């Protein structure tokens, strides 16, 4: 045998010669594993660390008897400078007598490392023991009943009693076994639970988890988290074992956070109170309630407690498949109704009752019709903003669902807090409009009674009720007998604009009464005053002075500052705009100049001064509006003056008009007394 043949071998090989077992050959694998020992030295000197192991005796026996010996899974601690891996490793040694090519005999040692096999076998033994102990623990828990633990067969049917399950659900073993446990699951959860559990069993999933509601022995339902895993013998599932844990509090907390997050998301880009309430109502159903309606209280600031309540329903949602009331319906409720009481007391009105038997007069008449026959509870919830009830929400629950309680009311209130900002803005807007309208209406004076002249005035606020304008009109008689007419518009659509409008109007009245001078000069002085007192203010205006010169004839002196032109309609229906006497708007030029134009007014003709709300429409050129006014005024020229004004407003103001409109119409009489 030639020893060089072992050089490429993937196992360790050693050959010793003679009775002293001198080390004659080691291959590369052996040297890498045990170190490079010097050749020619006796085995006992080459491996002094094995003196007490008894291995040298084996070499003696094999050389003497010729019988081979094998040692398996021998642990050896390797510790030498060139060792690639230190620590305990396991080897199998085969020791046999051999004769080499030169005829000498010795001992051949073949070494195979078995560390991985030994470690794996040990790990398997540990895992088997751990599984055995785990199963024993679970079965002990089941027998002791200290936990809600259950065991099913490989196909998913319950095969062992569970004292914990019986204690919680009230099911007996006969009711529980097999698939009987499904009867304790909430009806709304059964389909999903059955489908998911069946899929887990069929696919032998490594883990099954789900949260569902279980019926309690004492009545009602609570949420339980279910965790289960298959018990395997090799690749075969022999049973399933699982636990149920009461997570009702955790579920309620998670639901609260989830609903608040959804409410924040759906209302993020919503500013209108009605849209905000509609979005929140859609979140409430079906997670919190089966039916929900929201009402705005348009007279929240004006209504006194204990009086009739006007409630405008802006949203109504019912659970899928159930009819509900229409939205955008207005209710007038007596002061003793529950909704009015909730609004007055500014706290919820809550009622729990036998299914289908709500207290009389609990809801508005038409709302009661959408309570299902199995409704069991209702809450009337006021939405209070800055001490004022700005909205009301009505929610109800049906069937065997738990009645609305304090937890649900608290969550409803938290959800509806999202609407506080737009409702607060709406209330502030109502307050602003209330002040502005009071201010505007205080300035809407009746026209003077002037012999030989008919004067009519009109004021229409924006149809959309979205803004407060700065429009004004005025008419009065000067000390010299001349009649003054004016219309104007201060820039802006808010309370400051309305306040400035009243001040400019009164200032113009004072300047006109102060001295007799051309209308253009009066506007110049008004312009100078405006730029001195109101640095950021601009306004448009028409100022007209009507003088009675000769019997049957009146003379019109007028100036126009950036305003739509006056319209003159002759008795025969000929209509034309008066474009003379024009100048830029007030507050625009640092050195203002305003001219005056003069025109004769014939008996039966009509002079119309108006603000731009009469002719402007969104997305339309102003010329189109002026042409429309000219045609309509011509058609109504022979109508009495009051009817003439009403016809113009009726024909020219659309439902979507979004600006205030003021107008003054003047008509010299056909028969009139002599002049002064």
């Amino acid at each position: 045998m030639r020893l060089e043949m072992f050089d490429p071998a993937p196992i360790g090989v050693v050959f010793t010669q003679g009775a002293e077992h001198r080390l004659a050959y080691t291959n590369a694998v052996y040297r890498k594993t045990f170190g490079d020992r010097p050749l020619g030295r006796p085995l006992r000197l080459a491996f002094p660390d094995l003196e007490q192991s008894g291995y040298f005796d084996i070499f003696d026996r094999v050389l003497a008897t010729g019988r081979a010996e094998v040692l398996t899974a021998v642990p050896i601690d390797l510790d030498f400078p060139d060792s690639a891996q230190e620590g305990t490793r396991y080897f199998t040694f085969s020791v046999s007598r051999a004769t080499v090519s030169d005829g000498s005999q010795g001992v051949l040692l073949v070494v195979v490392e078995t560390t991985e096999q030994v470690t794996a076998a040990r790990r398997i033994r540990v895992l088997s023991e751990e599984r055995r102990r785990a199963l024993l623990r679970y079965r002990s828990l089941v027998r002791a009943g200290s936990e809600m633990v259950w065991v099913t067969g490989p196909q998913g049917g319950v095969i062992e009693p569970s004292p914990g399950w019986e204690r919680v659900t009230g099911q007996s073993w006969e009711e529980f076994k097999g698939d009987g446990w499904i009867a304790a699951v909430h009806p709304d959860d059964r389909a999903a639970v059955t489908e998911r559990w069946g899929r887990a069993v069929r696919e032998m999933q490594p883990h099954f988890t789900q949260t569902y509601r279980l019926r309690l022995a004492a009545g009602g339902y609570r949420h339980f988290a279910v965790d289960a895993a298959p018990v395997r013998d090799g690749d075969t599932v022999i049973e399933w074992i699982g636990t149920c844990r009461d997570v009702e509090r955790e579920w309620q907390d998670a639901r609260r956070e989830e609903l608040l997050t959804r409410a924040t998301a759906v209302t993020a880009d919503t500013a209108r109170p009605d849209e905000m309430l509609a979005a929140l109502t859609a979140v409430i159903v079906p997670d919190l309630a089966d039916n929900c309606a929201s009402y705005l209280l348009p007279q929240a600031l004006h209504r006194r407690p204990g009086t009739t309540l006007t409630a405008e329903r802006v949203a109504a949602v019912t659970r899928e498949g159930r009819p509900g009331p229409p939205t955008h319906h207005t209710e007038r409720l007596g002061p003793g109704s529950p909704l009015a009481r909730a609004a007055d007391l500014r706290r919820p009105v809550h009622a729990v009752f036998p299914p289908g038997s709500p207290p009389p007069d609990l809801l508005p008449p038409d709302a009661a019709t959408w309570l299902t026959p199995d409704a069991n509870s209702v809450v009337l919830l006021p939405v209070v903003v800055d001490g004022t009830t700005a909205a009301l929400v009505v929610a109800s629950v049906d069937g065997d669902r738990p009645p609305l309680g304090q937890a649900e009311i608290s969550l409803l209130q938290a959800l509806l807090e999202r609407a506080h900002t737009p409702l607060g803005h709406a209330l502030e807007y109502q307050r602003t409009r209330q002040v502005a309208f009071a201010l505007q209406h205080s300035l809407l004076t009746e026209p003077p009674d002037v012999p030989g002249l008919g004067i009519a005035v009109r004021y229409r606020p924006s149809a959309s009720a979205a803004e407060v304008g700065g429009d004004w009109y005025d008419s009065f008689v000067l000390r010299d007998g001349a009649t003054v007419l004016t219309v104007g518009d201060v820039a802006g659509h808010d309370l400051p604009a309305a306040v400035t409008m009243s001040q400019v109007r009164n200032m113009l009245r004072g300047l006109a009464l102060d001295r007799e001078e051309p209308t253009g000069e009066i506007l110049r002085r008004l312009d100078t005053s405006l730029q001195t007192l109101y640095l950021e203010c601009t306004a448009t205006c028409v100022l007209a002075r009507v003088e009675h010169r000769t019997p049957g004839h009146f003379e019109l002196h007028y100036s126009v500052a950036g305003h739509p032109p006056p319209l003159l309609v002759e008795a025969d229906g000929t209509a034309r705009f008066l474009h003379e006497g024009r100048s830029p708007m007030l507050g625009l030029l640092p050195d203002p100049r305003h001219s005056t134009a003069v025109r004769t007014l014939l008996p039966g003709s009509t002079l119309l001064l108006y603000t731009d709300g009469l002719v402007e429409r969104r997305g339309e050129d102003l010329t189109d509006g002026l042409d429309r006014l000219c045609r309509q005024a011509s058609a109504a020229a022979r109508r009495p003056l009051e009817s003439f004004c009403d016809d113009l407003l009726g024909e020219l103001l659309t439902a979507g008009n979004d600006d205030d409109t003021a107008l003054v119409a003047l008509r010299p009489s056909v028969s009139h007394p002599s002049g002064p």
Side-chain angles (χ1 to χ4, degrees):
M1 179 181 67
R2 296 180 62 84
L3 294 175
E4 292 81 359
M5 64 183 291
F6 295 111
D7 288 347
I11 57 178
V13 178
V14 176
F15 182 72
T16 64
Q17 290 179 323
E20 293 183 336
H21 307 298
R22 292 183 177 274
L23 196 60
Y25 171 82
T26 60
N27 70 351
V29 172
Y30 184 89
R31 292 193 298 273
K32 182 178 180 181
T33 305
F34 296 96
D36 191 5
R37 310 293 173 124
L39 299 179
R41 300 183 68 180
L43 197 64
R44 284 180 171 80
L45 298 179
F47 294 94
D49 48 337
L50 299 181
E51 180 68 33
Q52 305 300 323
S53 63
Y55 294 148
F56 301 138
D57 296 339
I58 297 175
F59 275 69
D60 292 338
R61 288 197 304 272
V62 169
L63 184 62
T65 65
R67 291 193 297 272
E69 295 189 22
V70 177
L71 303 177
T72 60
V74 177
I76 296 180
D77 293 327
L78 299 179
D79 185 12
F80 58 90
D82 297 330
S83 176
Q85 179 179 344
E86 298 181 359
T88 301
R89 295 163 68 178
Y90 296 87
F91 299 88
T92 294
F93 296 95
S94 175
V95 187
S96 60
R97 189 168 66 185
T99 302
V100 294
S101 56
D102 62 1
S104 60
Q105 288 189 333
V107 176
L108 183 69
L109 173 68
V110 177
V111 183
V112 178
E113 184 171 359
T114 58
T115 302
E116 289 186 3
Q117 294 88 329
V118 171
T119 303
R122 180 174 295 175
R123 186 183 304 112
I124 290 172
R125 289 194 299 274
V126 170
L127 290 175
S128 298
E129 178 63 18
E130 288 178 350
R131 186 172 67 173
R132 187 183 71 83
R133 288 179 178 273
L135 290 175
L136 290 175
R137 292 191 191 103
Y138 273 122
R139 288 195 167 90
S140 296
L141 287 173
V142 173
R143 287 192 296 271
S146 60
E147 292 289 341
M148 197 167 165
V149 182
W150 45 265
V151 180
T152 76
Q155 303 305 314
V158 174
I159 59 175
E160 293 184 10
S162 171
W165 181 280
E166 180 178 348
R167 183 178 64 253
V168 171
T169 67
Q171 279 191 319
S172 65
W173 164 238
E174 290 299 319
E175 295 170 325
F176 174 50
K177 68 181 180 179
D179 293 331
W181 61 274
I182 297 175
V185 177
H186 193 285
D188 291 344
D189 297 342
R190 285 176 191 167
V193 171
T194 303
E195 191 277 330
R196 287 196 58 192
W197 172 242
R199 186 168 69 248
V201 169
R202 289 192 306 273
E203 298 175 358
M204 294 184 292
Q205 296 175 359
H207 185 218
F208 172 79
T209 179
Q210 190 172 1
T211 297
Y212 52 77
R213 289 166 288 181
L214 286 177
R215 185 184 62 238
L216 304 181
Y221 290 86
R222 290 181 70 84
H223 286 82
F224 284 79
V226 178
D227 286 281
V231 179
R232 297 177 181 271
D233 184 0
D235 294 332
T236 302
V237 174
I238 58 175
E239 63 186 20
W240 286 76
I241 190 162
T243 63
C244 294
R245 180 172 61 90
D246 188 334
V247 293
E248 181 66 26
R249 180 62 181 272
E250 300 167 35
W251 185 87
Q252 293 287 358
D253 291 342
R255 178 180 68 159
R256 180 184 181 90
E257 291 304 316
E258 191 268 336
L259 289 179
L260 290 176
T261 300
R262 281 175 51 198
T264 300
V266 301
T267 58
D269 299 323
T270 305
R272 288 177 45 180
D274 56 340
E275 294 178 351
M276 179 79 72
L277 289 172
L280 291 172
T281 301
V283 173
I284 291 170
V285 176
D287 290 275
L288 277 176
D290 295 306
N291 312 282
C292 185
S294 297
Y295 297 82
L296 281 176
L297 308 184
Q299 300 174 353
L301 290 174
H302 314 299
R303 174 180 171 270
R304 297 191 309 275
T307 61
T308 299
L309 173 70
T310 299
E312 179 186 351
R313 187 169 57 233
V314 295
V317 180
T318 60
R319 198 169 185 177
E320 185 177 359
R322 302 179 182 183
T327 57
H328 306 297
H329 179 78
T330 300
E331 297 280 356
R332 291 182 59 82
L333 307 170
S337 69
L339 271 176
R341 191 165 68 251
D344 292 342
L345 297 177
R346 299 193 292 278
R347 61 173 180 262
V349 173
H350 180 215
V352 177
F353 42 84
S357 301
D361 302 325
L362 179 63
L363 297 175
D366 74 326
T369 62
W370 55 270
L371 275 185
T372 61
D374 57 350
N376 60 39
S377 57
V378 171
V379 61
L380 315 180
L381 195 67
V383 184
V384 181
V385 181
D386 297 332
T388 299
T389 301
L392 288 163
V393 173
V394 180
S396 67
V397 161
D398 305 335
D400 57 1
R401 189 171 183 170
L404 292 167
Q406 189 54 51
E408 288 73 25
I409 293 175
S410 174
L411 182 50
L412 284 169
Q413 290 173 321
L415 289 172
L416 293 171
E417 285 180 0
R418 301 298 188 277
H420 279 202
T421 297
L423 286 171
H425 291 162
L427 289 177
E428 185 59 32
Y429 166 71
Q430 288 184 30
R431 293 187 183 97
T432 300
R433 284 186 63 83
Q434 183 178 357
V435 173
F437 283 151
L439 178 60
Q440 287 178 328
H441 284 284
S442 71
L443 303 175
L444 302 181
T445 56
E446 291 295 322
D449 186 8
V450 180
L453 287 178
I455 303 175
V457 295
R458 293 290 187 273
Y459 181 86
R460 292 290 184 272
S462 166
S464 65
E467 297 175 331
V468 178
D471 294 17
W472 86 81
Y473 72 79
D474 200 2
S475 60
F476 52 92
V477 178
L478 299 176
R479 288 175 296 178
D480 62 0
T483 301
V484 173
L485 308 176
T486 178
V487 295
D489 187 1
V490 171
H493 293 84
D494 51 20
L495 181 57
V499 172
T500 302
M501 173 272 291
S502 69
Q503 295 169 338
V504 172
R505 171 191 178 273
N506 290 335
M507 190 184 306
L508 177 57
R509 173 177 279 216
L511 292 172
L513 290 169
D514 176 53
R515 64 185 75 165
E516 297 177 12
E517 58 186 358
T519 54
E521 182 59 23
I522 295 174
L523 286 187
R524 185 195 66 78
R525 290 199 290 145
L526 177 64
D527 201 344
T528 301
S529 300
L530 192 66
Q531 294 189 52
T532 302
L533 299 175
Y534 307 98
L535 300 180
E536 302 297 329
C537 177
T538 59
T540 65
C541 177
V542 176
L543 176 63
R545 172 188 171 96
V546 180
E547 300 177 359
H548 191 183
R549 292 298 187 186
T550 61
H553 292 79
F554 289 84
E555 192 171 75
L556 170 66
H557 300 251
Y558 69 96
S559 297
V560 181
H563 201 83
L567 178 65
L568 180 61
V569 186
E570 303 293 354
D572 63 358
T574 302
R576 65 176 62 88
F577 291 104
L578 305 181
H579 293 290
E580 296 80 10
R582 295 189 60 80
S583 59
M585 68 172 60
L586 305 175
L588 192 63
L589 300 179
D591 186 18
R593 294 288 187 270
H594 296 275
S595 60
T596 301
V598 181
R599 179 175 289 271
T600 298
L601 296 179
L602 298 177
S605 62
T606 304
L607 175 69
L608 179 68
L609 311 182
Y610 54 93
T611 58
D612 55 10
L614 189 65
V615 293
E616 285 188 343
R617 290 185 183 176
R618 191 183 301 275
E620 181 183 77
D621 190 86
L622 178 60
T623 303
D624 296 333
L626 292 173
D627 291 343
R628 187 167 48 247
L629 170 61
C630 194
R631 292 193 301 270
Q632 188 61 36
S634 179
R638 292 180 176 83
R639 301 277 289 166
L641 192 59
E642 298 289 342
S643 299
F644 173 85
C645 294
D646 291 336
D647 284 354
L648 293 184
L649 293 176
E651 293 295 330
L652 299 180
L653 295 188
T654 64
N657 177 48
D658 56 2
D659 200 358
D660 294 348
T661 300
L663 60 84
V664 179
L666 178 143
R667 180 180 294 170
S669 303
V670 175
S671 60
H672 54 80
S674 300

